[in-house]
Amino acid sequence: MAQKVQTILVSDLTGQELGQDGQTVRFGFLGVDYDIDLSQEEADEFANTIQKYTDAGRRVGGRRQSGSAKTAPRDPSQTKAIKTWLDGQGIDYPKRGRLAQDLIDQWEAAHKQ
C-alpha cells in the first residue's frame, strides 16, 4: 500500500498556510531557543526588528544561515517511506545522515498523483 505524507507549513503568527513562501526561523533569547514558522514577509520584518541588537551583540556560536529559505523538518515517517522506496528501487543512499535532495526529488516524482 502506498502512503503519502505531506507537511504543511503554517505561520505561527497568522495561522495561514505558507506554501513555498514559508520558512522556520530559529532564535534564542534569555537562554531559551525558539523555532517559529513565518512567511517571507514576516521573517524579513523579524530580521529587521532584531538587526540593531545583533549588530551590537557578540556572536557566541552557531553557523551563519544562508539567504535561502529553510524548510520545515521532514516527518520521520516520510523519511522512512522514502528509504523503503529507495531500497525497493535498488537505489543506493547513505544509511545515516541526510538524504540527498535528488533522492527526495526522485521519490516525490514517483509519488505524484
Side-chain angles (χ1 to χ4, degrees):
M1 177 165 96
Q3 187 177 36
K4 181 178 182 180
V5 178
Q6 184 176 14
T7 302
I8 300 172
L9 199 61
V10 175
S11 168
D12 289 323
L13 295 178
T14 64
Q16 292 182 341
E17 289 186 16
L18 298 175
Q20 298 296 331
D21 183 40
Q23 61 181 295
T24 300
V25 175
R26 175 170 282 173
F27 65 98
F29 183 68
L30 297 176
V32 179
D33 292 328
Y34 297 88
D35 282 343
I36 187 168
D37 298 327
L38 301 172
S39 69
Q40 186 62 53
E41 182 180 337
E42 293 164 343
D44 291 344
E45 180 183 351
F46 177 81
N48 290 334
T49 301
I50 68 165
Q51 186 69 50
K52 72 178 181 178
Y53 302 103
T54 58
D55 287 347
R58 292 175 305 281
R59 187 182 174 96
V60 295
R63 290 185 261 167
R64 292 193 183 273
Q65 297 290 326
S66 67
S68 63
K70 190 175 182 182
T71 60
R74 186 170 307 283
D75 184 291
S77 64
Q78 186 177 25
T79 301
K80 184 175 181 179
I82 294 170
K83 289 181 176 184
T84 300
W85 179 82
L86 290 169
D87 287 336
Q89 300 297 309
I91 299 172
D92 191 36
Y93 63 93
K95 302 304 181 205
R96 295 181 53 166
R98 291 181 178 225
L99 290 173
Q101 186 62 48
D102 67 306
L103 297 174
I104 295 168
D105 293 343
Q106 288 178 47
W107 180 82
E108 288 175 346
H111 290 86
K112 283 187 180 178
Q113 292 184 359

